[in-house]
Coordinates of all heavy atoms in Angstrom, one line a residue:
M1 N 18.7 -69.1 51.6 CA 19.0 -68.1 50.7 C 18.0 -67.0 50.7 O 16.8 -67.2 50.8 CB 19.1 -68.7 49.2 CG 20.4 -69.1 48.8 SD 20.4 -69.4 47.0 CE 20.6 -71.2 47.0
N2 N 18.5 -65.7 50.5 CA 17.5 -64.6 50.4 C 17.1 -64.5 49.0 O 17.6 -65.1 48.1 CB 18.1 -63.4 51.0 CG 19.3 -62.8 50.2 OD1 19.3 -62.8 49.0 ND2 20.2 -62.2 50.9
D3 N 16.2 -63.6 48.7 CA 15.6 -63.4 47.4 C 16.7 -63.0 46.3 O 16.7 -63.5 45.2 CB 14.6 -62.3 47.4 CG 13.3 -62.8 48.1 OD1 13.1 -64.0 48.2 OD2 12.5 -61.9 48.5
V4 N 17.6 -62.1 46.7 CA 18.7 -61.7 45.7 C 19.6 -62.9 45.4 O 19.8 -63.2 44.2 CB 19.5 -60.6 46.3 CG1 20.7 -60.3 45.4 CG2 18.6 -59.3 46.5
E5 N 20.0 -63.6 46.4 CA 20.8 -64.8 46.1 C 20.1 -65.8 45.3 O 20.7 -66.4 44.4 CB 21.3 -65.4 47.5 CG 22.3 -64.6 48.2 CD 22.6 -65.2 49.6 OE1 21.7 -65.8 50.2 OE2 23.7 -65.0 50.0
E6 N 18.9 -66.1 45.5 CA 18.1 -67.0 44.7 C 18.0 -66.6 43.3 O 18.2 -67.4 42.4 CB 16.7 -67.2 45.3 CG 16.6 -67.9 46.6 CD 15.3 -68.0 47.2 OE1 14.3 -67.7 46.5 OE2 15.2 -68.3 48.4
K7 N 17.8 -65.3 43.0 CA 17.8 -64.8 41.7 C 19.1 -64.9 41.0 O 19.2 -65.2 39.8 CB 17.2 -63.4 41.6 CG 15.7 -63.4 42.0 CD 15.1 -62.1 42.0 CE 13.6 -62.2 42.3 NZ 13.0 -60.9 42.5
L8 N 20.2 -64.5 41.7 CA 21.5 -64.6 41.1 C 21.9 -66.0 40.8 O 22.6 -66.2 39.8 CB 22.5 -63.9 42.1 CG 22.5 -62.4 42.2 CD1 23.5 -62.0 43.3 CD2 22.8 -61.7 40.9
Y9 N 21.5 -66.9 41.6 CA 21.8 -68.3 41.4 C 21.2 -68.8 40.0 O 21.7 -69.7 39.4 CB 21.2 -69.2 42.5 CG 21.5 -70.6 42.4 CD1 22.8 -71.1 42.6 CD2 20.5 -71.5 42.0 CE1 23.1 -72.5 42.4 CE2 20.8 -72.9 41.8 CZ 22.1 -73.4 42.1 OH 22.3 -74.7 41.9
Q10 N 20.1 -68.2 39.6 CA 19.4 -68.6 38.4 C 20.1 -68.1 37.1 O 19.8 -68.5 36.0 CB 18.0 -68.2 38.4 CG 17.2 -69.0 39.5 CD 15.8 -68.7 39.5 OE1 15.2 -68.5 38.5 NE2 15.2 -68.7 40.7
N11 N 21.0 -67.1 37.3 CA 21.8 -66.6 36.1 C 22.7 -67.7 35.6 O 23.1 -68.6 36.4 CB 22.6 -65.4 36.5 CG 21.7 -64.2 36.8 OD1 20.6 -64.0 36.3 ND2 22.2 -63.3 37.7
R12 N 23.1 -67.6 34.4 CA 24.1 -68.6 33.9 C 25.3 -67.7 33.3 O 25.2 -66.6 33.0 CB 23.5 -69.4 32.7 CG 22.4 -70.3 33.2 CD 22.9 -71.4 34.2 NE 21.9 -72.1 34.8 CZ 21.6 -72.0 36.1 NH1 22.3 -71.2 36.9 NH2 20.7 -72.7 36.7
Y13 N 26.4 -68.4 33.2 CA 27.6 -67.7 32.8 C 28.3 -68.6 31.7 O 28.5 -69.8 31.9 CB 28.6 -67.5 34.0 CG 29.7 -66.6 33.6 CD1 29.6 -65.3 33.7 CD2 30.9 -67.1 33.2 CE1 30.6 -64.4 33.4 CE2 32.0 -66.3 32.8 CZ 31.8 -64.9 32.9 OH 32.8 -64.1 32.6
R14 N 28.5 -68.0 30.6 CA 29.2 -68.7 29.5 C 30.7 -68.3 29.5 O 31.0 -67.1 29.1 CB 28.5 -68.3 28.2 CG 29.0 -69.2 27.1 CD 27.9 -69.4 26.1 NE 28.6 -70.1 25.0 CZ 28.7 -69.7 23.8 NH1 28.1 -68.6 23.4 NH2 29.4 -70.4 22.9
L15 N 31.5 -69.2 29.9 CA 33.0 -68.9 30.1 C 33.7 -68.9 28.7 O 33.5 -69.8 27.9 CB 33.6 -70.0 31.0 CG 35.0 -69.8 31.4 CD1 35.2 -68.6 32.2 CD2 35.4 -71.1 32.2
D16 N 34.5 -67.9 28.6 CA 35.3 -67.8 27.4 C 36.7 -68.3 27.8 O 37.6 -67.5 28.2 CB 35.4 -66.3 26.9 CG 36.0 -66.1 25.5 OD1 36.4 -67.1 24.9 OD2 36.1 -65.0 25.1
A17 N 36.9 -69.6 27.7 CA 38.1 -70.2 28.2 C 39.4 -69.6 27.7 O 39.5 -69.4 26.5 CB 38.1 -71.7 27.9
G18 N 40.3 -69.3 28.6 CA 41.6 -68.7 28.2 C 41.6 -67.2 27.8 O 42.6 -66.7 27.5
R19 N 40.4 -66.6 27.9 CA 40.3 -65.2 27.6 C 39.5 -64.4 28.7 O 38.4 -64.0 28.5 CB 39.6 -65.0 26.3 CG 40.4 -65.5 25.1 CD 39.7 -65.2 23.9 NE 39.6 -63.8 23.7 CZ 39.6 -63.1 22.5 NH1 39.7 -63.8 21.4 NH2 39.5 -61.8 22.4
P20 N 40.1 -64.3 29.9 CA 39.3 -63.6 31.0 C 39.1 -62.2 30.7 O 40.0 -61.5 30.1 CB 40.2 -63.8 32.2 CG 41.6 -64.1 31.7 CD 41.4 -64.8 30.4
H21 N 38.0 -61.6 31.0 CA 37.7 -60.2 30.7 C 38.2 -59.3 31.8 O 38.1 -58.1 31.6 CB 36.2 -60.0 30.3 CG 35.3 -60.2 31.5 ND1 35.1 -61.5 32.0 CD2 34.7 -59.4 32.3 CE1 34.2 -61.4 33.0 NE2 34.0 -60.1 33.2
I22 N 38.6 -59.8 32.9 CA 39.2 -59.0 34.0 C 40.5 -59.6 34.4 O 40.7 -60.8 34.4 CB 38.2 -59.1 35.2 CG1 36.8 -58.7 34.9 CG2 38.8 -58.2 36.4 CD1 35.9 -58.9 36.0
R23 N 41.4 -58.7 34.7 CA 42.8 -59.2 35.1 C 43.3 -58.2 36.1 O 43.1 -57.0 36.0 CB 43.7 -59.2 33.8 CG 45.0 -59.8 34.0 CD 45.8 -59.7 32.7 NE 46.2 -58.4 32.3 CZ 47.2 -57.7 32.8 NH1 48.0 -58.2 33.8 NH2 47.5 -56.5 32.4
I24 N 44.0 -58.8 37.1 CA 44.7 -58.0 38.1 C 46.1 -57.7 37.4 O 46.8 -58.6 37.1 CB 44.9 -58.7 39.4 CG1 43.6 -59.0 40.1 CG2 45.8 -57.9 40.3 CD1 43.6 -59.8 41.3
R25 N 46.4 -56.4 37.2 CA 47.6 -56.0 36.5 C 48.9 -56.5 37.3 O 49.8 -57.1 36.7 CB 47.7 -54.5 36.4 CG 46.7 -54.0 35.4 CD 46.8 -52.5 35.3 NE 45.8 -52.0 34.4 CZ 45.5 -50.7 34.2 NH1 46.1 -49.8 34.9 NH2 44.5 -50.4 33.4
D26 N 48.9 -56.2 38.5 CA 50.1 -56.5 39.3 C 49.7 -57.0 40.7 O 49.3 -56.2 41.6 CB 51.0 -55.3 39.5 CG 52.3 -55.6 40.2 OD1 52.5 -56.7 40.7 OD2 53.2 -54.6 40.3
P27 N 49.7 -58.3 40.9 CA 49.3 -58.9 42.2 C 50.1 -58.3 43.4 O 49.5 -58.2 44.5 CB 49.5 -60.4 42.1 CG 49.5 -60.6 40.6 CD 50.1 -59.4 40.0
E28 N 51.3 -57.9 43.2 CA 52.1 -57.3 44.2 C 51.5 -56.0 44.8 O 51.6 -55.7 46.0 CB 53.6 -57.1 43.8 CG 54.5 -56.6 44.8 CD 54.7 -57.6 46.0 OE1 54.6 -58.8 45.8 OE2 54.9 -57.1 47.1
V29 N 50.9 -55.3 43.9 CA 50.2 -54.0 44.3 C 49.1 -54.4 45.3 O 49.0 -53.7 46.4 CB 49.7 -53.2 43.1 CG1 48.8 -52.1 43.6 CG2 50.8 -52.7 42.3
C30 N 48.4 -55.4 45.0 CA 47.3 -55.8 45.9 C 47.8 -56.2 47.3 O 47.3 -55.8 48.3 CB 46.5 -57.0 45.3 SG 45.7 -56.6 43.8
Q31 N 48.9 -57.0 47.3 CA 49.4 -57.5 48.5 C 50.1 -56.4 49.3 O 49.9 -56.3 50.5 CB 50.3 -58.7 48.3 CG 50.7 -59.3 49.6 CD 50.9 -60.8 49.4 OE1 50.7 -61.4 48.4 NE2 51.3 -61.5 50.5
A32 N 51.0 -55.7 48.7 CA 51.9 -54.8 49.4 C 51.3 -53.4 49.6 O 51.6 -52.8 50.7 CB 53.2 -54.7 48.7
R33 N 50.6 -52.9 48.7 CA 50.1 -51.5 48.8 C 48.7 -51.3 49.2 O 48.3 -50.2 49.8 CB 50.4 -50.8 47.5 CG 51.9 -50.7 47.2 CD 52.2 -50.0 45.9 NE 51.5 -48.7 45.7 CZ 51.3 -48.2 44.5 NH1 51.7 -48.8 43.4 NH2 50.6 -47.1 44.4
C34 N 47.8 -52.2 48.9 CA 46.4 -52.1 49.2 C 46.1 -52.7 50.5 O 46.1 -54.0 50.6 CB 45.6 -52.7 48.1 SG 43.8 -52.5 48.4
S35 N 45.8 -52.0 51.5 CA 45.5 -52.5 52.8 C 44.0 -52.9 53.0 O 43.6 -53.8 53.7 CB 45.9 -51.6 54.0 OG 45.2 -50.3 53.8
A36 N 43.1 -52.2 52.2 CA 41.7 -52.4 52.4 C 41.1 -53.6 51.7 O 40.2 -54.3 52.2 CB 40.9 -51.2 51.8
K37 N 41.7 -54.1 50.6 CA 41.3 -55.2 49.9 C 39.8 -55.1 49.6 O 39.0 -56.1 49.7 CB 41.6 -56.5 50.6 CG 43.0 -56.7 51.2 CD 44.0 -56.9 50.0 CE 45.3 -57.4 50.6 NZ 46.3 -56.4 50.6
S38 N 39.3 -53.9 49.2 CA 37.9 -53.7 49.0 C 37.3 -54.5 47.9 O 36.1 -54.8 47.9 CB 37.7 -52.2 48.7 OG 38.1 -51.4 49.7
C39 N 38.1 -54.9 46.9 CA 37.5 -55.7 45.8 C 36.9 -57.0 46.4 O 35.9 -57.5 45.9 CB 38.6 -56.0 44.8 SG 40.1 -56.9 45.4
A40 N 37.6 -57.6 47.4 CA 37.1 -58.9 47.9 C 35.8 -58.6 48.7 O 34.9 -59.5 48.8 CB 38.1 -59.5 48.8
A41 N 35.7 -57.5 49.3 CA 34.5 -57.2 50.1 C 33.3 -56.7 49.3 O 32.2 -56.9 49.6 CB 34.8 -56.1 51.2
C42 N 33.6 -56.0 48.2 CA 32.5 -55.3 47.4 C 32.0 -56.1 46.2 O 31.0 -55.7 45.7 CB 33.0 -53.9 47.0 SG 33.3 -52.9 48.4
C43 N 32.8 -57.0 45.7 CA 32.3 -57.7 44.4 C 31.1 -58.5 44.8 O 31.1 -59.4 45.6 CB 33.4 -58.7 43.9 SG 32.9 -59.7 42.5
P44 N 29.9 -58.2 44.1 CA 28.7 -58.8 44.4 C 28.7 -60.3 44.0 O 27.9 -61.1 44.5 CB 27.6 -58.0 43.7 CG 28.4 -57.3 42.6 CD 29.8 -57.1 43.1
A45 N 29.5 -60.7 43.1 CA 29.6 -62.1 42.6 C 30.6 -62.9 43.4 O 30.7 -64.1 43.2 CB 29.9 -62.1 41.1
G46 N 31.4 -62.3 44.2 CA 32.4 -63.0 45.0 C 33.6 -63.5 44.1 O 34.2 -64.5 44.4
C47 N 33.9 -62.8 43.1 CA 35.0 -63.2 42.2 C 36.4 -63.0 42.8 O 37.3 -63.6 42.4 CB 34.9 -62.4 40.9 SG 33.5 -62.8 39.9
Y48 N 36.5 -62.1 43.8 CA 37.7 -61.8 44.4 C 37.7 -62.4 45.8 O 36.8 -62.2 46.6 CB 37.9 -60.3 44.6 CG 38.1 -59.6 43.3 CD1 37.0 -59.2 42.5 CD2 39.4 -59.3 42.8 CE1 37.2 -58.5 41.3 CE2 39.6 -58.6 41.6 CZ 38.5 -58.2 40.9 OH 38.6 -57.6 39.7
T49 N 38.8 -63.2 46.1 CA 38.9 -63.8 47.5 C 40.2 -63.5 48.1 O 41.2 -63.2 47.3 CB 38.7 -65.3 47.4 OG1 39.6 -65.9 46.5 CG2 37.3 -65.7 47.0
L50 N 40.3 -63.5 49.4 CA 41.5 -63.2 50.1 C 42.2 -64.5 50.6 O 41.5 -65.3 51.1 CB 41.3 -62.3 51.3 CG 41.0 -60.9 51.0 CD1 40.7 -60.1 52.3 CD2 42.1 -60.2 50.3
G51 N 43.5 -64.6 50.3 CA 44.2 -65.8 50.8 C 44.7 -65.5 52.2 O 44.6 -64.4 52.7
P52 N 45.3 -66.5 52.8 CA 45.7 -66.4 54.2 C 46.8 -65.4 54.4 O 47.0 -64.8 55.5 CB 46.2 -67.8 54.6 CG 46.4 -68.5 53.3 CD 45.5 -67.9 52.3
E53 N 47.6 -65.1 53.4 CA 48.7 -64.1 53.4 C 48.3 -62.8 53.0 O 49.1 -61.9 52.8 CB 49.9 -64.6 52.6 CG 50.4 -66.0 53.0 CD 51.0 -66.0 54.4 OE1 51.7 -65.0 54.7 OE2 50.8 -66.9 55.1
G54 N 47.0 -62.6 52.7 CA 46.5 -61.3 52.3 C 46.6 -61.1 50.8 O 46.3 -60.0 50.2
D55 N 46.9 -62.2 50.1 CA 46.9 -62.1 48.6 C 45.5 -62.2 48.0 O 44.6 -62.8 48.6 CB 47.8 -63.3 48.0 CG 47.4 -64.6 48.6 OD1 47.1 -64.8 49.8 OD2 47.3 -65.6 47.8
V56 N 45.3 -61.5 46.9 CA 43.9 -61.5 46.3 C 43.9 -62.4 45.1 O 44.8 -62.4 44.3 CB 43.6 -60.0 45.8 CG1 42.3 -60.0 45.1 CG2 43.6 -59.1 47.0
T57 N 42.9 -63.3 45.1 CA 42.8 -64.2 44.0 C 41.5 -63.8 43.2 O 40.5 -63.5 43.8 CB 42.6 -65.6 44.5 OG1 43.8 -66.0 45.2 CG2 42.5 -66.6 43.3
L58 N 41.6 -63.8 41.9 CA 40.5 -63.5 41.0 C 40.1 -64.7 40.2 O 40.9 -65.3 39.5 CB 40.9 -62.3 40.1 CG 39.9 -62.0 38.9 CD1 38.6 -61.5 39.4 CD2 40.5 -60.9 38.0
L59 N 38.8 -65.0 40.3 CA 38.2 -66.1 39.4 C 37.0 -65.4 38.8 O 36.0 -65.1 39.4 CB 37.8 -67.3 40.3 CG 37.2 -68.4 39.5 CD1 38.2 -69.0 38.6 CD2 36.8 -69.5 40.5
T60 N 37.0 -65.2 37.4 CA 36.0 -64.5 36.7 C 34.7 -65.2 36.4 O 33.8 -64.7 36.0 CB 36.5 -63.9 35.4 OG1 37.0 -64.9 34.6 CG2 37.7 -62.9 35.7
D61 N 34.7 -66.5 36.7 CA 33.5 -67.3 36.5 C 32.4 -66.8 37.4 O 32.6 -66.6 38.6 CB 33.7 -68.8 36.9 CG 34.8 -69.4 36.1 OD1 35.5 -68.8 35.4 OD2 35.0 -70.7 36.3
G62 N 31.3 -66.4 36.8 CA 30.1 -65.9 37.5 C 30.2 -64.4 37.7 O 29.3 -63.8 38.4
C63 N 31.1 -63.7 37.0 CA 31.1 -62.3 37.1 C 29.9 -61.6 36.6 O 29.3 -62.1 35.5 CB 32.3 -61.8 36.3 SG 32.4 -60.0 36.2
L64 N 29.3 -60.7 37.3 CA 28.1 -60.0 36.9 C 28.4 -58.8 35.9 O 27.4 -58.1 35.5 CB 27.3 -59.5 38.1 CG 26.9 -60.6 39.1 CD1 26.3 -60.0 40.3 CD2 25.9 -61.5 38.4
E65 N 29.6 -58.5 35.6 CA 30.0 -57.5 34.7 C 29.5 -56.1 35.1 O 29.2 -55.2 34.3 CB 29.5 -57.8 33.3 CG 30.1 -59.1 32.7 CD 29.3 -59.6 31.5 OE1 28.7 -58.8 30.8 OE2 29.4 -60.8 31.3
C66 N 29.5 -55.9 36.4 CA 29.0 -54.6 37.0 C 30.1 -53.5 37.0 O 29.7 -52.3 37.0 CB 28.4 -54.8 38.4 SG 29.7 -55.3 39.6
G67 N 31.3 -53.9 37.0 CA 32.4 -52.9 37.0 C 32.8 -52.4 38.4 O 33.6 -51.5 38.5
T68 N 32.2 -53.0 39.4 CA 32.5 -52.6 40.8 C 34.0 -52.6 41.1 O 34.6 -51.7 41.7 CB 31.7 -53.4 41.8 OG1 30.3 -53.2 41.6 CG2 32.0 -53.0 43.2
C69 N 34.6 -53.7 40.7 CA 36.1 -53.9 41.0 C 36.9 -52.8 40.3 O 37.9 -52.3 40.9 CB 36.5 -55.2 40.5 SG 36.3 -55.6 38.8
R70 N 36.5 -52.4 39.2 CA 37.3 -51.3 38.5 C 37.1 -50.0 39.2 O 38.1 -49.2 39.4 CB 36.8 -51.2 37.0 CG 37.4 -50.1 36.2 CD 36.9 -50.2 34.8 NE 35.5 -50.0 34.8 CZ 34.8 -49.9 33.7 NH1 35.4 -49.9 32.5 NH2 33.5 -49.8 33.7
I71 N 36.0 -49.7 39.7 CA 35.7 -48.5 40.4 C 36.3 -48.5 41.8 O 37.0 -47.5 42.2 CB 34.2 -48.2 40.5 CG1 33.6 -48.0 39.1 CG2 33.9 -47.1 41.4 CD1 32.1 -48.1 39.0
I72 N 36.2 -49.6 42.5 CA 36.7 -49.7 43.9 C 38.2 -49.7 43.9 O 38.8 -49.3 44.9 CB 36.1 -50.9 44.6 CG1 36.0 -50.7 46.1 CG2 36.9 -52.2 44.3 CD1 34.9 -49.9 46.5
C73 N 38.9 -50.0 42.8 CA 40.3 -50.0 42.8 C 40.9 -48.8 42.0 O 42.0 -48.8 41.6 CB 40.8 -51.3 42.0 SG 42.6 -51.5 42.1
S74 N 40.1 -47.7 42.0 CA 40.5 -46.5 41.3 C 41.8 -45.9 41.9 O 42.5 -45.2 41.2 CB 39.4 -45.5 41.3 OG 39.0 -45.1 42.6
E75 N 42.0 -46.1 43.2 CA 43.2 -45.5 43.8 C 44.5 -46.1 43.1 O 45.5 -45.4 42.9 CB 43.3 -45.8 45.3 CG 44.5 -45.2 46.0 CD 44.5 -45.5 47.4 OE1 43.6 -46.0 48.0 OE2 45.6 -45.3 48.0
F76 N 44.5 -47.4 42.9 CA 45.7 -48.1 42.4 C 45.6 -48.4 40.9 O 46.6 -48.7 40.2 CB 45.9 -49.4 43.1 CG 46.2 -49.2 44.6 CD1 45.2 -49.5 45.5 CD2 47.4 -48.6 45.0 CE1 45.5 -49.2 46.9 CE2 47.6 -48.4 46.3 CZ 46.7 -48.7 47.3
R77 N 44.4 -48.3 40.3 CA 44.2 -48.7 38.9 C 44.8 -50.0 38.5 O 45.6 -50.1 37.5 CB 44.6 -47.5 38.0 CG 43.9 -46.2 38.2 CD 44.4 -45.1 37.4 NE 43.8 -43.9 37.8 CZ 42.9 -43.2 37.0 NH1 42.5 -43.7 35.9 NH2 42.4 -42.1 37.5
N78 N 44.6 -51.0 39.3 CA 45.2 -52.3 39.2 C 44.4 -53.3 38.6 O 44.7 -54.5 38.6 CB 45.8 -52.7 40.6 CG 46.9 -53.8 40.4 OD1 47.6 -53.8 39.5 ND2 46.9 -54.7 41.4
V79 N 43.2 -52.9 38.0 CA 42.3 -53.9 37.4 C 42.1 -53.5 36.0 O 41.7 -52.4 35.6 CB 40.9 -53.9 38.2 CG1 39.9 -54.8 37.4 CG2 41.1 -54.3 39.6
D80 N 42.4 -54.5 35.1 CA 42.1 -54.3 33.7 C 40.7 -55.0 33.5 O 40.6 -56.2 33.8 CB 43.1 -55.1 32.8 CG 44.4 -54.3 32.6 OD1 44.4 -53.1 32.7 OD2 45.4 -54.9 32.4
W81 N 39.8 -54.2 33.0 CA 38.4 -54.7 32.9 C 37.8 -54.4 31.5 O 37.9 -53.2 31.1 CB 37.6 -54.1 34.0 CG 36.2 -54.6 34.2 CD1 35.8 -55.5 35.1 CD2 35.0 -54.3 33.5 NE1 34.5 -55.8 35.0 CE2 33.9 -55.0 34.0 CE3 34.7 -53.4 32.4 CZ2 32.6 -54.9 33.6 CZ3 33.4 -53.3 31.9 CH2 32.4 -54.1 32.5
E82 N 37.2 -55.3 30.9 CA 36.4 -55.1 29.6 C 35.3 -56.0 29.6 O 35.2 -57.0 30.3 CB 37.3 -55.2 28.4 CG 37.9 -56.6 28.3 CD 38.9 -56.7 27.2 OE1 39.6 -55.7 26.8 OE2 39.1 -57.8 26.7
Y83 N 34.3 -55.7 28.8 CA 33.2 -56.7 28.6 C 33.7 -57.9 27.9 O 34.6 -57.9 27.1 CB 32.0 -56.1 27.8 CG 31.2 -55.1 28.5 CD1 31.4 -53.7 28.3 CD2 30.4 -55.5 29.5 CE1 30.6 -52.8 29.0 CE2 29.6 -54.6 30.3 CZ 29.7 -53.2 30.0 OH 29.0 -52.3 30.7
P84 N 33.1 -59.1 28.2 CA 33.5 -60.3 27.5 C 33.1 -60.2 26.0 O 32.3 -59.4 25.6 CB 32.6 -61.4 28.1 CG 32.2 -60.8 29.4 CD 32.1 -59.4 29.3
R85 N 33.7 -61.0 25.2 CA 33.4 -61.1 23.8 C 31.9 -61.5 23.6 O 31.3 -62.1 24.5 CB 34.2 -62.1 23.0 CG 35.7 -61.8 22.9 CD 36.4 -62.8 22.1 NE 36.2 -64.2 22.5 CZ 36.3 -65.2 21.6 NH1 36.5 -65.0 20.4 NH2 36.1 -66.4 22.1
G86 N 31.3 -61.1 22.5 CA 29.9 -61.4 22.2 C 29.6 -62.9 22.4 O 30.4 -63.7 22.0
G87 N 28.5 -63.1 23.1 CA 28.1 -64.5 23.3 C 28.6 -65.1 24.6 O 28.3 -66.2 24.9
F88 N 29.6 -64.4 25.2 CA 30.2 -64.9 26.5 C 29.8 -64.1 27.6 O 29.3 -62.9 27.5 CB 31.7 -65.0 26.3 CG 32.1 -66.0 25.3 CD1 32.5 -65.6 24.0 CD2 32.2 -67.4 25.6 CE1 32.9 -66.5 23.1 CE2 32.6 -68.3 24.7 CZ 32.9 -67.9 23.4
G89 N 30.0 -64.5 28.8 CA 29.8 -63.8 30.0 C 28.4 -64.1 30.7 O 27.9 -65.2 30.5
V90 N 27.9 -63.2 31.5 CA 26.7 -63.5 32.3 C 25.5 -63.5 31.4 O 25.4 -62.7 30.4 CB 26.6 -62.5 33.4 CG1 26.3 -61.1 33.0 CG2 25.5 -63.0 34.4
L91 N 24.6 -64.4 31.6 CA 23.3 -64.5 30.9 C 22.3 -64.4 32.0 O 21.9 -65.3 32.7 CB 23.2 -65.9 30.2 CG 24.3 -66.2 29.3 CD1 24.2 -67.7 28.8 CD2 24.2 -65.3 28.1
F92 N 21.7 -63.1 32.1 CA 20.8 -62.8 33.2 C 19.4 -63.4 32.9 O 18.9 -63.3 31.8 CB 20.6 -61.3 33.4 CG 21.8 -60.6 33.9 CD1 22.6 -59.9 33.1 CD2 22.1 -60.7 35.2 CE1 23.7 -59.2 33.6 CE2 23.3 -60.1 35.8 CZ 24.1 -59.3 34.9
K93 N 18.9 -64.1 33.9 CA 17.5 -64.7 33.7 C 16.4 -63.6 33.9 O 15.4 -63.6 33.3 CB 17.3 -65.9 34.6 CG 15.9 -66.5 34.5 CD 15.8 -67.8 35.2 CE 14.4 -68.3 34.9 NZ 14.2 -69.6 35.5
F94 N 16.7 -62.7 34.8 CA 15.7 -61.7 35.2 C 16.1 -60.3 34.7 O 16.1 -59.4 35.5 CB 15.5 -61.7 36.7 CG 14.9 -63.0 37.2 CD1 15.7 -63.9 37.9 CD2 13.6 -63.2 37.0 CE1 15.2 -65.1 38.4 CE2 13.0 -64.4 37.5 CZ 13.8 -65.3 38.2
G95 N 16.5 -60.2 33.5 CA 16.7 -58.9 32.9 C 18.1 -58.6 32.7 O 18.7 -57.7 32.4

């Protein structure tokens, strides 16, 4: 592991079960209209993954709440993103 990965590994995440703070509005837009799939490449926490058929899967556990996905998907505006409720989400060890 490199230094960044080691530090990220030490963060903790408090999951708000049943209330994800990020949602893909329409999965069909990701599959049919978005050829770049930039969310899967750019998310520093790896919350977005590509399936064998080019489908995008989102798992918010471990999200760093940076907003990269919202920005990178600005062409399609297909990501609903908000901060988690108080007391939930990422708990940074190093700031």
Side-chain angles (χ1 to χ4, degrees):
M1 262 193 254
N2 67 37
D3 289 341
V4 172
E5 287 174 331
E6 288 174 16
K7 288 179 180 173
L8 288 174
Y9 181 75
Q10 294 182 35
N11 293 331
R12 296 294 169 246
Y13 191 84
R14 191 146 174 244
L15 186 62
D16 192 359
R19 294 184 63 148
H21 67 286
I22 305 171
R23 187 179 70 81
I24 296 173
R25 289 180 184 170
D26 183 356
E28 184 62 29
V29 169
C30 297
Q31 185 148 2
R33 294 180 47 206
C34 179
S35 59
K37 312 288 194 258
S38 298
C39 57
C42 294
C43 176
C47 293
Y48 293 84
T49 56
L50 288 178
E53 302 295 319
D55 53 319
V56 176
T57 302
L58 169 62
L59 182 62
T60 61
D61 301 8
C63 174
L64 299 173
E65 300 165 23
C66 64
T68 298
C69 57
R70 178 176 57 172
I71 294 166
I72 207 77
C73 189
S74 62
E75 178 182 353
F76 299 106
R77 297 178 189 253
N78 199 32
V79 175
D80 283 332
W81 189 99
E82 59 186 27
Y83 285 107
R85 291 186 307 152
F88 294 97
V90 67
L91 306 168
F92 291 106
K93 181 171 183 173
F94 295 103

